[in-house]
Amino acid sequence: GVQTCALPISCALLNIEGYYDSLLAFLRHAADQGLLQRRQLERLLVADTVLDLLPQLDAAMQSAEPAATVLKP
């Protein structure tokens, strides 16, 4: 769910052949209605191929805080 993306890291969808198009439309609509924060939607990495997704994941990991910092109580 969306709450699994609450940490300051990105979530990724491999959208092969548009499999997640309906979900993405729903999430955009939820953000438009104020039910989802726009910044949460912007953290979602989406690509149609693994080759397109890997650089996005690499960039997200480079900018993410170390897990020990993220998970502090």
Side-chain angles (χ1 to χ4, degrees), residues 19-67:
Y19 184 83
Y20 290 111
D21 285 350
S22 296
L23 174 62
L24 294 168
F26 168 76
L27 293 174
R28 283 190 290 273
H29 178 71
D32 291 343
Q33 298 299 309
L35 301 172
L36 177 68
Q37 293 179 4
R38 182 70 52 186
R39 65 184 170 85
Q40 288 176 306
L41 184 59
E42 291 168 355
R43 279 196 212 125
L44 185 61
L45 307 176
V46 181
D48 297 331
T49 68
V50 172
L51 291 177
D52 291 335
L53 188 56
L54 288 176
Q56 292 183 53
L57 288 169
D58 186 46
M61 290 180 68
Q62 296 297 323
S63 65
E65 296 180 44

Side-chain angles (χ1 to χ4, degrees), residues 3-24:
Q3 291 304 315
T4 61
C5 294
L7 293 175
I9 56 174
S10 297
C11 296
L13 288 177
L14 185 56
N15 193 26
I16 296 173
E17 295 182 11
Y19 184 83
Y20 290 111
D21 285 350
S22 296
L23 174 62
L24 294 168

